[in-house]
Amino acid sequence: MNITSQIKQPIQQEMELFEKKFYESMTSKVALLNRITYYIVNRKGKQMRPMFVFLVAKMVSEGKVNERTYRGASVIELIHTATLVHDDVVDDSNRRRGFFSINALWKNKIAVLVGDYLLSKGLLLSIDNGDFDLLRIISVAVREMSEGELLQIEKARRLDITEDVYYEIIRQKTATLIAACCALGAKSVSEDEVLVEKMRKFGELIGMAFQIKDDLFDYTDDAIGKPTGIDIKEQKMTLPLIYALNNCTSKEKSWCINSIKNHNKDKKRVKEVIQFVKDKNGLSFAEHKMVEFQQEALLLLQNFPNSEYKSSLELMVNYVIERKK
């Protein structure tokens, strides 16, 4: 059994019912829209976000979930899907998880409108059911994701990102959505604000570790969906690179920044930059930081009674940093 199936095991029934409810939550009177949403549903990823919602909900409530839990999972998946559709337009990307992206098949205009539609469907699902507490958690996540993306764009132009700014970018861009999933899971079954905040923090820490792992993929030749050196080609500042730039001579720094800004299409130069980052211990530093976030997340689970849901969440935390893609 692969690791994802193992993690999913205790929430198998919930995930099957969720898929049905999720597809229903997307339906529309417009045939074109239904065709596109059908395409989206059939090309789903690992569905890590709804899994976090259900596992956290069941861990904190002795195995119970309710309709709010399903709605929370659907809303987060609707909004996450909307951001992916919009991201592909922004990045001019023709592929998503090995399949054609929406903008590649139906052009940008339709892709933007579909993203807007999914976003509004998510908001209405909460409003129609009076889940304003859940909506607040999700809306904060959407705001932070947009801020994180824009902060990254602003900083990438000058390549002057400090380690602290980098953490802020990934907290907003990546970690905030996983944090929202965990907070939603807890909030759907409990009124305890301290508990909800604890689970939000848990999700945030996993998200930080997850993004650093993604950064590390840029320096490996593993068969993942992302080509080696792509972050360098796109002038993205990642943790290994930031560390290398902070721990080298001013001459090396100028060479490295010049390579990223002006020679990022030159394969040989990109390889040299990758080697430079490795030589400066950028990778081992990033790995060390990733494990720190992971350990901190595991610590937050310690006081919960042992259960299959807790075990799955621990598996998930370890999978985040051990995954190969």
Side-chain angles (χ1 to χ4, degrees):
M1 189 191 291
N2 73 5
I3 185 116
T4 324
S5 313
Q6 226 175 317
I7 294 166
K8 227 184 238 189
Q9 193 73 24
I11 50 165
Q12 196 64 49
Q13 281 174 298
E14 284 82 4
M15 287 302 289
E16 283 168 19
L17 184 53
F18 158 75
E19 284 192 21
K20 222 172 111 224
K21 286 176 183 282
F22 178 57
Y23 184 54
E24 282 166 11
S25 69
M26 280 185 169
T27 52
S28 144
K29 293 188 182 75
V30 180
L32 172 63
L33 246 176
N34 288 333
R35 219 164 44 241
I36 295 171
T37 53
Y38 181 75
Y39 179 80
I40 291 171
V41 170
N42 280 319
R43 279 150 194 78
K44 60 180 183 294
K46 290 188 273 292
Q47 293 188 309
M48 271 175 71
R49 286 153 196 87
M51 281 156 69
F52 273 122
V53 176
F54 289 115
L55 286 170
V56 167
K58 295 192 96 170
M59 180 184 74
V60 304
S61 69
E62 296 172 353
K64 291 190 276 289
V65 294
N66 55 34
E67 281 304 316
R68 268 162 58 82
T69 318
Y70 284 101
R71 288 198 295 270
S74 290
V75 171
I76 210 93
E77 196 66 352
L78 280 165
I79 287 174
H80 172 59
T81 309
T83 59
L84 293 184
V85 172
H86 281 165
D87 277 354
D88 287 339
V89 175
V90 171
D91 298 339
D92 205 11
S93 171
N94 290 324
R95 292 267 171 187
R96 167 71 60 185
R97 300 186 186 117
F99 296 100
F100 282 118
S101 58
I102 304 299
N103 47 305
L105 293 171
W106 284 281
K107 302 287 178 276
N108 282 351
K109 186 175 179 178
I110 288 177
V112 170
L113 293 169
V114 167
D116 291 346
Y117 172 77
L118 295 173
L119 193 62
S120 66
K121 273 292 209 185
L123 301 175
L124 283 168
L125 184 59
S126 293
I127 292 166
D128 290 346
N129 291 284
D131 297 330
F132 298 108
D133 51 347
L134 304 185
L135 186 57
R136 169 177 281 275
I137 292 171
I138 292 155
S139 302
V140 168
V142 174
R143 183 196 71 205
E144 295 214 310
M145 283 157 68
S146 314
E147 284 179 352
E149 285 287 354
L150 288 162
L151 179 60
Q152 185 175 40
I153 291 167
E154 178 194 331
K155 295 292 179 185
R157 289 186 178 144
R158 294 177 36 209
L159 295 182
D160 64 348
I161 296 185
T162 61
E163 208 182 308
D164 286 344
V165 170
Y166 165 82
Y167 292 134
E168 185 52 21
I169 289 172
I170 68 166
R171 187 190 68 72
Q172 291 187 315
K173 254 189 65 177
T174 306
T176 193
L177 194 63
I178 299 176
C181 295
C182 297
L184 270 179
K187 187 72 181 165
S188 71
V189 293
S190 167
E191 285 302 313
D192 181 347
E193 288 304 331
V194 176
L195 174 70
V196 173
E197 174 51 29
K198 187 178 185 177
M199 295 326 297
R200 189 203 65 77
K201 185 67 186 165
F202 167 74
E204 183 174 285
L205 290 163
I206 297 174
M208 301 291 277
F210 183 91
Q211 186 55 55
I212 296 172
K213 179 68 175 178
D214 246 23
D215 287 358
L216 287 162
F217 281 141
D218 205 43
Y219 297 89
T220 59
D221 296 317
D222 290 343
I224 55 159
K226 172 175 157 183
T228 308
I230 194 81
D231 287 337
I232 294 168
K233 292 187 184 86
E234 291 177 0
Q235 298 188 31
K236 274 187 192 155
M237 293 295 278
T238 57
L239 191 56
L241 180 60
I242 291 165
Y243 182 81
L245 288 174
N246 287 339
N247 292 276
C248 64
T249 64
S250 53
K251 193 178 169 191
E252 287 171 324
K253 191 172 184 171
S254 312
W255 168 82
C256 188
I257 286 179
N258 177 37
S259 304
I260 295 165
K261 275 196 162 170
N262 305 313
H263 303 281
N264 54 34
K265 302 282 186 285
D266 177 343
K267 278 185 183 158
K268 183 173 170 287
R269 197 72 172 256
V270 169
K271 267 193 176 146
E272 284 168 7
V273 171
I274 289 173
Q275 196 52 51
F276 165 76
V277 172
K278 285 179 180 172
D279 293 345
K280 293 291 173 192
N281 297 322
L283 268 63
S284 49
F285 174 78
E287 274 164 14
H288 173 70
K289 277 292 178 193
M290 174 179 74
V291 172
E292 266 181 24
F293 284 120
Q294 178 230 18
Q295 291 302 318
E296 220 183 311
L298 285 173
L299 215 57
L300 287 176
L301 293 181
Q302 239 176 14
N303 295 332
F304 287 99
N306 287 337
S307 67
E308 51 183 343
Y309 317 115
K310 179 179 168 180
S311 303
S312 269
L313 281 169
E314 287 170 341
L315 253 182
M316 186 90 108
V317 177
N318 295 325
Y319 166 69
V320 158
I321 71 164
E322 286 160 11
R323 66 200 166 98
K324 296 282 183 278
K325 60 180 178 179

